[in-house]
Structure formats: structure tokens, C-alpha cells
Amino acid sequence: MGTESMGLRESKKQETRQLISDHATRLFMEQGFEQTTITEIATAARVAKKTVTNYFPRKEDLALDHHEAFTATLARAVADRAEGESPLAALRREFIAAVETCDPVAGFAGPEFARMIAESPTLSARLRELHDLREEALAQALAAVAPAQDPAVAPRAAAALLGAAHRLLFQRIQELTLAGEPNARIAAVVAPEATYVFDLLGAGLSAGES
């Protein structure tokens, strides 16, 4: 019974968190991120203002509520890759799969959401910070599997290159989204561009190993 009660409480917490996030995102897109207050979000979600800040200590995280999944994506791809698969191959495979499914974590969040971020200096700065955190997590994952003979800087150097590539492709998806292109068209454009980018990375990283 205790375990069941804990499960119900956890489920209720997740429902409340999602409810708050949904109302916040709606208000941000309608009014703008900077113009929307925590009090307005609490009123719309019918919860106390303190409840909102308990679930989301930072206002930016109300809009970018999948930030933990975003920052962990690249490191997880490296850690979970198949035996014998290189980190680059795993990251290429994961990104192409994300494009095929129009994954929001890859940047397919829709024009209203993309515009909300582009028009908010605060959210734009937070997104840049999340890209940096994602690169740091990737560097740690690469360090965990780096050959002993590699120089100490190697994992960070590879993460910088790979992180920059993913940042570029994310921005490309956002750019096409803001231009009014539908997801299917964006995917059709970005897939071959991603192949080109990963081919460049492959040549560069291979040269670094020789």
C-alpha cells in the first residue's frame, strides 16, 4: 500500500508539473516570455505561486522544461552506443533518427515556440547555456571511454567539435521553422545537411587520430 501511495503521489506531482508547464508555455507564446509573470501562470494553472516556483525554480525552465533531457542527449548516445560503434557514428545515428521523427529535442518545436525563444533575450541566453551544458556532459562521456594514450584535452576537443555541429544543426532547424517551413520539408533539407556536417567531422576527427 505504501508503494502504491508513493506511486500515486509521484503521478500527481508529474501531472501538476505538466499542467503548470502547459499553461506557462501558452501564456509565453500569447504574451511573450518577458511580459508573463509567475503570478499569472499560477492563476491560470489554479495553483499557488509557491507551487510554481517549487517545481520550476527558474522562470526559463517553465518554457524549456525538457532541459534535462536536452543536456543529456549527446552523452547518453555515447554511453548507450552499440559495442564497436564509435561515438561519432552513434551521434550521427541518433541525430538522423531525431530528424526522421521530428523530435522537439532536436529543434522541431513549431513556429510559435521557436518565435517565443527568438524574441526573448532571456530564453535565448538560457538556450545557449543549455548547449554549453550539453557539450560539457558529452566531454565527460567521451573522457570515460577515451583511450589511455590520448592527450588529456582530447575528449574536450572532440566534444567542442561535436557540440558545435549539433548546435549548428539545431539552429538550422529553428531557422527553417521561423521561415515557415513545415516539419516534413525541414527534415528533408536538414537530413542531407547533417550528413555533410558529420562527414566533415569524421574527416577532422580521423585526422586527429592519425
Side-chain angles (χ1 to χ4, degrees):
M1 183 66 179
T3 302
E4 182 179 349
S5 296
M6 288 176 62
L8 289 173
R9 283 198 297 271
E10 186 60 32
S11 177
K12 180 62 177 176
K13 283 182 179 180
Q14 290 300 321
E15 289 177 6
T16 301
R17 188 182 192 282
Q18 190 61 52
L19 176 69
I20 293 169
S21 176
D22 289 346
H23 280 289
T25 300
R26 176 180 59 80
L27 289 171
F28 292 153
M29 290 193 291
E30 289 175 356
Q31 303 176 175
F33 177 83
E34 320 292 347
Q35 293 74 27
T36 302
T37 67
I38 298 297
T39 298
E40 289 175 319
I41 293 167
T43 299
R46 297 185 179 181
V47 298
K49 181 179 178 180
K50 186 176 181 181
T51 301
V52 176
T53 55
N54 282 342
Y55 280 98
F56 301 93
R58 297 179 61 158
K59 183 182 175 184
E60 301 95 301
D61 293 338
L62 281 158
L64 302 169
D65 60 324
H66 297 297
H67 62 280
E68 292 178 351
F70 178 83
T71 56
T73 302
L74 305 186
R76 189 180 66 248
V78 170
D80 295 346
R81 71 191 190 284
E83 184 177 355
E85 185 178 33
S86 71
L88 175 60
L91 289 166
R92 179 199 290 258
R93 174 175 51 75
E94 288 286 332
F95 184 80
I96 294 301
V99 170
E100 290 175 350
T101 59
C102 297
D103 189 342
V105 175
F108 292 89
E112 294 85 2
F113 194 87
R115 194 172 301 111
M116 175 188 72
I117 294 176
E119 293 175 352
S120 168
T122 303
L123 288 179
S124 295
R126 176 57 173 161
L127 183 58
R128 288 193 295 272
E129 182 182 9
L130 292 176
H131 278 291
D132 290 341
L133 291 172
R134 185 166 71 160
E135 182 182 312
E136 290 175 13
L138 175 60
Q140 293 174 10
L142 291 172
V145 299
Q149 68 271 19
D150 279 5
V153 76
R156 283 184 292 160
L161 293 171
L162 292 162
H166 280 82
R167 190 182 307 229
L168 170 65
L169 293 168
F170 184 97
Q171 291 170 344
R172 181 68 170 134
I173 292 169
Q174 294 282 286
E175 171 189 309
L176 292 168
T177 299
L178 289 170
E181 297 288 353
N183 280 350
R185 171 61 181 163
I186 295 172
V189 170
V190 170
E193 291 182 344
T195 296
Y196 175 79
V197 169
F198 281 110
D199 285 346
L200 283 179
L201 282 174
L205 292 172
S206 296
E209 294 171 359
S210 60

